[in-house]
Amino acid sequence: MGKTSLRERLYIIIHGTDTPAGRNFDVVLLWMILLSTLTVCLESVPAYRQLANVLFKGLEWFFTIIFTVEYVLRVYSNPRPLKYMFSFYGIIDFLSIIPTYLAFFAPTLRYIMTIRVLRLLRVFRILKLTSYVENAQLITRALVASLHKITVFIVAVFTLVLIVGTIIYVVEGEENGFTSIPQSIYWAIVTITTVGYGDITPRTPLGQIISSLVMLMGYAIIAVPTGIVTVELSRIKSPEDEPTTPLLCGNCQQTLRKTDNFCSNCGHKVVSVQ
Amino acid sequence: MGKTSLRERLYIIIHGTDTPAGRNFDVVLLWMILLSTLTVCLESVPAYRQLANVLFKGLEWFFTIIFTVEYVLRVYSNPRPLKYMFSFYGIIDFLSIIPTYLAFFAPTLRYIMTIRVLRLLRVFRILKLTSYVENAQLITRALVASLHKITVFIVAVFTLVLIVGTIIYVVEGEENGFTSIPQSIYWAIVTITTVGYGDITPRTPLGQIISSLVMLMGYAIIAVPTGIVTVELSRIKSPEDEPTTPLLCGNCQQTLRKTDNFCSNCGHKVVSVQ
Amino acid sequence: MGKTSLRERLYIIIHGTDTPAGRNFDVVLLWMILLSTLTVCLESVPAYRQLANVLFKGLEWFFTIIFTVEYVLRVYSNPRPLKYMFSFYGIIDFLSIIPTYLAFFAPTLRYIMTIRVLRLLRVFRILKLTSYVENAQLITRALVASLHKITVFIVAVFTLVLIVGTIIYVVEGEENGFTSIPQSIYWAIVTITTVGYGDITPRTPLGQIISSLVMLMGYAIIAVPTGIVTVELSRIKSPEDEPTTPLLCGNCQQTLRKTDNFCSNCGHKVVSVQ
Amino acid sequence: MGKTSLRERLYIIIHGTDTPAGRNFDVVLLWMILLSTLTVCLESVPAYRQLANVLFKGLEWFFTIIFTVEYVLRVYSNPRPLKYMFSFYGIIDFLSIIPTYLAFFAPTLRYIMTIRVLRLLRVFRILKLTSYVENAQLITRALVASLHKITVFIVAVFTLVLIVGTIIYVVEGEENGFTSIPQSIYWAIVTITTVGYGDITPRTPLGQIISSLVMLMGYAIIAVPTGIVTVELSRIKSPEDEPTTPLLCGNCQQTLRKTDNFCSNCGHKVVSVQ
């Protein structure tokens, strides 16, 4: 029960979710992450900041110190500390505490600590919400499966947006708010994604005609990613309907069809067992 | 034909839809709900209110008293009054009358009575529009079936929106209208859902670049719920076409169609068992 | 070759599309409809109207008189004039000429004559673009097939919009631009359809939170009609893949499956002919 | 090793991608296209232009001269120069260099040179990203396959937009920003595609009711192209799984798998013919 034993116990509490202590640790942690994120959000509201500046500063340091201690213990207790430090959660954990310290140099950077919210993604692992995790994997797999198609699509949209932006810049000009090509590209993206802020709008008749065409194109274009993802999602659903334990030939171990009377590989007579 | 008999008759008229009296009661009720909702809407228009304040007040009390009497009779006539009172429609019925009385204390709360419109959902039951009800159930089932996937999706969107909101708050700052992180999150939601009011818009070049990326991400993201619901809807349609324990030929075990008199493989006469 | 013969010849030219004369008549007519619609559009532009008011007035009367003569001849030459007059195209034809005459009484109503553009729908019939017509029917059939589902959906959206509109009216109030419930319902529709003009926007924190929730709901809701129409479209496509000339039993004429050795109706041995 | 040999070597370097020299040439070219496009974009920003006008002008002429030399060499080295000049890439290459020379006459036309970005599409060919090319073809084929349906849809939207635009012009009038029918059509397109700039918005109650109906229609309409593209995409995926004239057993005519050595029905030895 020496130093090593303490490390091991810490490891089980901090990294594990199977013991009551480990579970309680995680639940308390989740609530603290949630509260600290909420604190950062509320602190950014001028009215609240003026009202309770000292309280917010105190809470911020309170949470940061706790998370710092937690981070140090995580590194300490982990048998492979470097692997943890450069894992997804390790980097997130580090980025969650560093902004408070950096704030001595650049105050606004402090808000980057809202990256803490990403730590909440652990909730799925901790609460063993496997159905949610599976569904998340399903969606992710559908998106990855359609990655090549979506890349082609993004390249096409990017090219389109660059050309449309240039044309509208030439047509409308700086006097109508299209002050540069990058700004016009921004307008083209705002339009083609149907966001339509209205901070920059075409004012010449020709500009409005071009905009109308761009919108109708955006209308057809929006259909493409939806179609891609739908098709991928519907394809990925099928695997779970696939047969699980296949019939094998007793002679050559080849996979058999249910209707086979003879093995199609070696001609061995199939003895039905089902 | 004493008190009990009156209660029973009331029950048939108020809760039932099969007798002419019950049907007429429901049709009159539907029209009154519709008219009272319309009255509340019109009364909120300043011009109309000034024009005919007394009329609107009168109508409001007229409808509220009628609905109150109806509610009391519903509770009185129902053999299991508590079950009704805490059912979906029972709560809606109660919330439809209470705001007028509460208006003595808080005038604006009076408008909550537009919740009355939910009472109109009875129309499907009353008019026996079973096809509509079935279709509503179909859509609801598709949404419920994809609930886990949509939850994952909402969590992902929420996390994304929080991080994007913080980044844009740091980049744009209070001088460009992004006065706090909650307000920036509001902007991020307005942008990613492609609503795009334009009440808050990025003005710095970096802010516009980040916004453009967020919009293109929103473009890809909007495809996900559509894909999920489409796949669920297309899966739910199929059950009605599903086979139910197939008929087999007694001689050669081949699958038979329901209308077969002879086995199409060996010519064996089919003995109908269904 | 008396009066009747002239009527018949007129009928073939005006209503038919098979003779060269009938075809030429239709092509000239299409161009005149297109030009007259364009004239009305351009005439509404103040700058052009001031420039060439007499020209526009002249063109308007020129087209109206021609269309009036055409309408009279259509009614005269048609063996069943009343059937034509109350058909879809008959009503459109009438509404295309009447506004010019009505303009003596109410000038702005004149623009209703752009309804003329609906006459262009004849282009599909005239140019025998059957593939387009078939595709239009396909889309229409898909929309009709999903009509009940879409009705349920529209009712749900309408109820939602009424309640959301009332809540935001109570929360934001008249001082933030939500001047009445109807106006707030208009805002709710603008928001939930992701149009997002930005003419009315929430300004209180609570109002912005409610708006955010409404937008995220709209995000999920937009998936429903898309899913419905996609499923209908994919179901309607299948018929064309169906087998065309089915195999029939030589004894009892029942439809056979390709793999049948005996007729499943009468037990007759199938003689393979394929 | 005379003149012809030089042409051939140039052809291999400029048009080919298989030799190291050809590959290096293409990679350098891609970077120059990217940099030159970026230069044009940045040069359009007033602040940057004032800061470094001479630098931008110099870079523009630098890139234009290089691309001109490249174009001349491409034409010179190609055994069929005219075929290249009128090919898709030949026209793009020409349009990429001509604006700089035209700028002597019309300065703003210079920006049309951003069409250079289309030259980047070569990246797919050069880097042999066949999977991307195949996916692009897949998407294109799906869009082409649904061209007739989308045309019908665009015609329907165009007709709708013209009629809605006229109605709103009559209802709202010039005093509310709907200054002409073309402008009102522009508004209708902005609304129905859910872009919703908010530069023109209905202000009369009737106008807002009509707008609400148009938005809800747009809601249903947006489902159609998505449905069409999804169905086409899901149909196009299947061909690669299609069987091509199945193998049959010589003894009992049962369908065989490509890998079968014995018929799985009767045990007959398969004589491979492929």
Side-chain angles (χ1 to χ4, degrees):
Chain A
M1 283 298 185
K3 200 183 169 190
T4 332
S5 171
L6 175 69
R7 261 178 85 175
E8 274 168 6
R9 250 181 299 154
L10 273 172
Y11 182 77
I12 288 163
I13 292 171
I14 295 174
H15 289 269
T17 57
D18 297 327
T19 60
R23 209 181 148 80
N24 289 340
F25 174 84
D26 282 325
V27 170
V28 170
L29 187 66
L30 284 181
W31 277 106
M32 295 195 73
I33 294 165
L34 213 60
L35 284 174
S36 94
T37 309
L38 198 69
T39 307
V40 177
C41 285
L42 290 180
E43 193 253 341
S44 74
V45 181
Y48 296 159
R49 194 166 51 222
Q50 282 167 5
L51 207 77
N53 194 19
V54 179
L55 176 69
F56 282 120
K57 279 264 172 267
L59 279 172
E60 190 184 320
W61 278 107
F62 170 72
F63 286 122
T64 304
I65 287 166
I66 284 183
F67 292 151
T68 308
V69 170
E70 183 223 335
Y71 181 73
V72 170
L73 289 178
R74 260 180 207 276
V75 173
Y76 168 74
S77 69
N78 202 310
R80 297 161 73 187
L82 279 176
K83 204 196 156 194
Y84 159 70
M85 283 170 77
F86 292 99
S87 71
F88 174 72
Y89 282 120
I91 291 165
I92 295 293
D93 291 351
F94 181 74
L95 289 176
S96 299
I97 50 175
I98 208 71
T100 310
Y101 301 108
L102 284 179
F104 285 114
F105 310 104
T108 54
L109 284 181
R110 210 178 61 232
Y111 294 113
I112 298 300
M113 75 181 73
T114 48
I115 208 168
R116 277 170 189 172
V117 80
L118 284 180
R119 299 188 72 190
L120 285 178
L121 295 180
R122 279 191 174 110
V123 80
F124 291 116
R125 192 170 58 85
I126 293 166
L127 302 183
K128 307 231 180 284
L129 305 169
T130 42
S131 164
Y132 288 90
V133 175
E134 271 167 27
N135 278 305
Q137 286 170 345
L138 210 77
I139 294 173
T140 312
R141 232 186 308 156
L143 287 175
V144 167
S146 51
L147 201 67
H148 275 206
K149 276 197 214 66
I150 282 180
T151 304
V152 167
F153 177 71
I154 292 278
V155 168
V157 167
F158 183 79
T159 311
L160 181 69
V161 147
L162 185 59
I163 289 168
V164 165
T166 308
I167 291 170
I168 205 85
Y169 172 68
V170 172
V171 167
E172 286 280 324
E174 295 179 24
E175 66 275 18
N176 288 319
F178 294 81
T179 54
S180 66
I181 291 181
Q183 182 124 47
S184 302
I185 292 171
Y186 162 74
W187 168 86
I189 293 174
V190 167
T191 300
I192 226 164
T193 57
T194 77
V195 170
Y197 284 136
D199 50 350
I200 313 165
T201 53
R203 272 170 235 164
T204 63
L206 185 56
Q208 293 184 343
I209 291 169
I210 292 168
S211 303
S212 299
L213 292 177
V214 171
M215 285 171 218
L216 290 175
M217 279 168 69
Y219 214 57
I221 285 171
I222 212 168
V224 175
T226 308
I228 293 170
V229 173
T230 304
V231 170
E232 286 312 328
L233 274 175
S234 67
R235 288 184 81 207
I236 277 177
K237 283 217 83 76
S238 47
E240 67 189 18
D241 309 327
E242 265 177 32
T244 40
T245 39
L247 281 165
L248 297 179
C249 170
N251 187 39
C252 72
Q253 303 301 326
Q254 207 219 350
T255 311
L256 301 172
R257 283 173 296 190
K258 279 179 182 166
T259 56
D260 287 357
N261 300 324
F262 294 90
C263 171
S264 62
N265 187 43
C266 63
H268 187 78
K269 183 101 178 67
V270 175
V271 183
S272 184
V273 288
Q274 212 176 16
Chain B
M1 285 294 187
K3 200 183 168 188
T4 333
S5 171
L6 176 68
R7 261 178 84 175
E8 272 168 6
R9 250 182 298 152
L10 273 172
Y11 182 77
I12 288 163
I13 292 170
I14 296 175
H15 289 269
T17 58
D18 296 327
T19 59
R23 208 181 150 80
N24 289 341
F25 174 84
D26 282 326
V27 170
V28 169
L29 188 65
L30 284 182
W31 277 107
M32 294 195 73
I33 295 166
L34 214 59
L35 283 173
S36 94
T37 309
L38 199 69
T39 307
V40 177
C41 285
L42 291 180
E43 192 252 342
S44 74
V45 181
Y48 296 159
R49 194 166 51 221
Q50 282 167 5
L51 208 77
N53 194 18
V54 179
L55 176 70
F56 283 121
K57 279 266 174 265
L59 280 171
E60 191 184 320
W61 279 107
F62 170 72
F63 287 122
T64 304
I65 287 165
I66 285 183
F67 293 152
T68 308
V69 170
E70 183 222 335
Y71 181 73
V72 169
L73 290 178
R74 260 180 207 277
V75 173
Y76 168 75
S77 70
N78 202 310
R80 297 161 72 188
L82 279 176
K83 205 196 155 194
Y84 160 70
M85 283 168 79
F86 291 99
S87 70
F88 175 72
Y89 282 120
I91 291 164
I92 295 293
D93 291 351
F94 181 74
L95 289 176
S96 298
I97 50 175
I98 209 69
T100 311
Y101 301 108
L102 284 177
F104 285 114
F105 311 103
T108 54
L109 284 181
R110 209 177 63 232
Y111 295 113
I112 299 299
M113 75 180 73
T114 49
I115 208 168
R116 277 172 189 171
V117 79
L118 285 180
R119 300 188 71 190
L120 285 178
L121 295 180
R122 279 193 173 106
V123 79
F124 291 115
R125 192 171 57 84
I126 294 167
L127 302 184
K128 308 232 181 282
L129 304 169
T130 42
S131 164
Y132 288 92
V133 175
E134 271 167 28
N135 277 306
Q137 285 169 345
L138 210 76
I139 293 173
T140 312
R141 232 186 309 155
L143 286 175
V144 167
S146 51
L147 201 66
H148 275 206
K149 275 197 214 65
I150 282 180
T151 304
V152 167
F153 177 72
I154 292 278
V155 168
V157 167
F158 182 80
T159 310
L160 181 69
V161 146
L162 185 60
I163 289 168
V164 165
T166 308
I167 291 171
I168 205 83
Y169 172 68
V170 172
V171 168
E172 287 280 325
E174 294 179 25
E175 66 274 19
N176 288 318
F178 293 81
T179 54
S180 66
I181 292 181
Q183 181 124 47
S184 303
I185 292 171
Y186 162 73
W187 168 87
I189 293 175
V190 167
T191 300
I192 224 163
T193 57
T194 77
V195 170
Y197 284 138
D199 50 351
I200 313 166
T201 54
R203 272 170 235 164
T204 63
L206 185 56
Q208 293 184 344
I209 291 170
I210 293 168
S211 303
S212 300
L213 292 177
V214 171
M215 285 171 218
L216 290 175
M217 279 168 69
Y219 214 57
I221 285 171
I222 211 167
V224 175
T226 309
I228 293 169
V229 173
T230 304
V231 170
E232 287 312 328
L233 273 176
S234 66
R235 286 185 83 207
I236 277 177
K237 285 215 83 77
S238 47
E240 63 191 19
D241 311 324
E242 260 175 37
T244 51
T245 49
L247 283 164
L248 297 179
C249 170
N251 186 39
C252 72
Q253 303 301 328
Q254 207 218 349
T255 311
L256 301 171
R257 285 173 294 190
K258 279 180 181 164
T259 55
D260 287 358
N261 299 323
F262 293 91
C263 171
S264 63
N265 187 42
C266 64
H268 187 76
K269 182 103 178 67
V270 175
V271 184
S272 184
V273 288
Q274 210 175 21
Chain C
M1 283 297 186
K3 199 182 171 190
T4 332
S5 171
L6 175 69
R7 259 178 87 175
E8 273 167 8
R9 249 182 300 153
L10 272 172
Y11 182 76
I12 288 163
I13 292 171
I14 296 175
H15 289 269
T17 58
D18 296 327
T19 59
R23 208 180 150 80
N24 289 340
F25 175 84
D26 283 326
V27 170
V28 168
L29 187 66
L30 284 181
W31 278 107
M32 294 194 74
I33 294 165
L34 214 59
L35 284 173
S36 95
T37 309
L38 199 70
T39 306
V40 177
C41 285
L42 291 179
E43 193 252 341
S44 74
V45 181
Y48 295 160
R49 193 167 51 222
Q50 281 166 5
L51 207 78
N53 193 19
V54 179
L55 176 68
F56 282 120
K57 280 265 172 267
L59 280 172
E60 191 184 319
W61 278 107
F62 170 72
F63 286 122
T64 303
I65 288 165
I66 285 184
F67 292 151
T68 309
V69 170
E70 183 223 334
Y71 182 73
V72 169
L73 290 178
R74 260 180 207 277
V75 173
Y76 168 73
S77 70
N78 202 310
R80 296 161 73 188
L82 279 176
K83 205 197 155 193
Y84 159 70
M85 283 168 79
F86 292 98
S87 71
F88 175 71
Y89 281 120
I91 291 164
I92 295 293
D93 291 351
F94 181 73
L95 289 175
S96 298
I97 49 176
I98 209 71
T100 310
Y101 301 108
L102 284 178
F104 285 114
F105 310 103
T108 55
L109 284 181
R110 209 179 61 233
Y111 295 113
I112 298 300
M113 75 181 72
T114 49
I115 208 168
R116 278 170 189 173
V117 79
L118 285 180
R119 299 189 72 191
L120 285 178
L121 294 181
R122 280 192 173 108
V123 79
F124 290 115
R125 192 171 57 84
I126 293 167
L127 302 184
K128 306 228 182 285
L129 304 169
T130 42
S131 164
Y132 288 91
V133 175
E134 271 166 27
N135 277 305
Q137 285 170 344
L138 210 76
I139 293 173
T140 312
R141 233 186 308 155
L143 287 175
V144 168
S146 51
L147 200 66
H148 275 205
K149 275 197 214 66
I150 282 180
T151 304
V152 166
F153 176 72
I154 293 277
V155 169
V157 167
F158 181 81
T159 310
L160 181 69
V161 147
L162 185 61
I163 289 168
V164 165
T166 307
I167 292 171
I168 205 83
Y169 172 69
V170 173
V171 168
E172 287 280 324
E174 295 179 25
E175 66 275 20
N176 289 318
F178 294 81
T179 54
S180 65
I181 291 181
Q183 181 125 47
S184 302
I185 292 171
Y186 162 73
W187 168 86
I189 292 175
V190 167
T191 300
I192 225 164
T193 57
T194 79
V195 170
Y197 284 136
D199 50 351
I200 313 166
T201 55
R203 271 170 235 165
T204 64
L206 185 57
Q208 293 184 344
I209 291 170
I210 292 169
S211 303
S212 300
L213 293 177
V214 171
M215 285 171 219
L216 290 175
M217 280 168 68
Y219 214 56
I221 285 171
I222 212 168
V224 175
T226 309
I228 293 170
V229 173
T230 304
V231 170
E232 287 312 328
L233 273 175
S234 66
R235 288 183 81 207
I236 278 176
K237 284 216 83 75
S238 46
E240 67 189 18
D241 309 327
E242 265 175 33
T244 38
T245 40
L247 281 166
L248 296 179
C249 170
N251 187 37
C252 70
Q253 303 300 326
Q254 206 219 350
T255 310
L256 301 171
R257 282 173 297 189
K258 280 181 182 165
T259 55
D260 287 359
N261 299 324
F262 296 91
C263 171
S264 63
N265 187 44
C266 63
H268 187 76
K269 183 98 179 67
V270 174
V271 183
S272 183
V273 288
Q274 212 176 19
Chain D
M1 285 294 188
K3 200 183 169 189
T4 333
S5 171
L6 174 69
R7 261 179 85 174
E8 273 168 6
R9 251 182 299 155
L10 273 172
Y11 182 76
I12 288 163
I13 292 170
I14 295 175
H15 288 269
T17 58
D18 296 327
T19 59
R23 208 179 150 81
N24 289 340
F25 175 85
D26 282 326
V27 170
V28 169
L29 188 65
L30 284 182
W31 278 106
M32 294 195 74
I33 294 165
L34 214 58
L35 284 174
S36 95
T37 309
L38 199 68
T39 307
V40 176
C41 285
L42 290 180
E43 193 252 342
S44 74
V45 181
Y48 296 159
R49 193 165 51 221
Q50 282 166 5
L51 207 77
N53 194 18
V54 179
L55 177 69
F56 283 120
K57 279 264 173 267
L59 280 173
E60 190 184 320
W61 278 107
F62 171 72
F63 286 121
T64 303
I65 288 167
I66 284 183
F67 293 152
T68 308
V69 170
E70 183 222 334
Y71 181 72
V72 170
L73 289 178
R74 260 180 207 278
V75 174
Y76 168 73
S77 69
N78 202 310
R80 297 162 72 187
L82 279 175
K83 203 196 156 195
Y84 160 70
M85 283 168 78
F86 291 99
S87 71
F88 174 71
Y89 282 119
I91 291 164
I92 296 293
D93 291 350
F94 182 73
L95 289 176
S96 298
I97 50 176
I98 209 71
T100 310
Y101 301 108
L102 283 178
F104 286 114
F105 311 103
T108 54
L109 284 182
R110 210 177 62 231
Y111 294 113
I112 298 300
M113 76 180 73
T114 48
I115 208 168
R116 277 172 188 172
V117 79
L118 285 180
R119 298 190 71 190
L120 285 179
L121 295 180
R122 278 192 175 110
V123 79
F124 292 116
R125 192 170 57 84
I126 294 166
L127 302 184
K128 308 228 181 286
L129 305 169
T130 42
S131 164
Y132 289 91
V133 175
E134 271 167 27
N135 277 306
Q137 285 169 345
L138 210 76
I139 294 173
T140 312
R141 232 185 310 155
L143 287 175
V144 167
S146 51
L147 200 66
H148 275 206
K149 275 197 213 66
I150 282 180
T151 304
V152 166
F153 177 71
I154 293 277
V155 168
V157 167
F158 182 80
T159 310
L160 181 69
V161 146
L162 184 59
I163 289 167
V164 164
T166 308
I167 292 170
I168 206 83
Y169 172 69
V170 172
V171 168
E172 287 280 325
E174 294 178 26
E175 66 275 20
N176 288 319
F178 294 80
T179 53
S180 65
I181 291 181
Q183 182 125 47
S184 302
I185 292 171
Y186 162 73
W187 168 86
I189 293 174
V190 168
T191 300
I192 225 164
T193 58
T194 77
V195 170
Y197 284 136
D199 51 350
I200 313 167
T201 53
R203 272 170 235 166
T204 63
L206 185 57
Q208 293 184 344
I209 291 170
I210 292 168
S211 304
S212 299
L213 292 177
V214 171
M215 285 171 219
L216 290 175
M217 279 169 68
Y219 215 55
I221 285 171
I222 212 167
V224 175
T226 308
I228 292 170
V229 172
T230 304
V231 170
E232 286 312 329
L233 273 175
S234 66
R235 286 185 83 209
I236 277 176
K237 285 216 83 75
S238 47
E240 63 190 20
D241 311 324
E242 261 177 36
T244 50
T245 47
L247 282 164
L248 297 179
C249 170
N251 186 38
C252 72
Q253 304 300 327
Q254 206 217 350
T255 311
L256 301 172
R257 284 173 296 189
K258 278 182 183 164
T259 55
D260 287 358
N261 299 323
F262 294 91
C263 171
S264 63
N265 187 43
C266 64
H268 187 75
K269 182 101 177 66
V270 175
V271 183
S272 184
V273 288
Q274 211 176 21

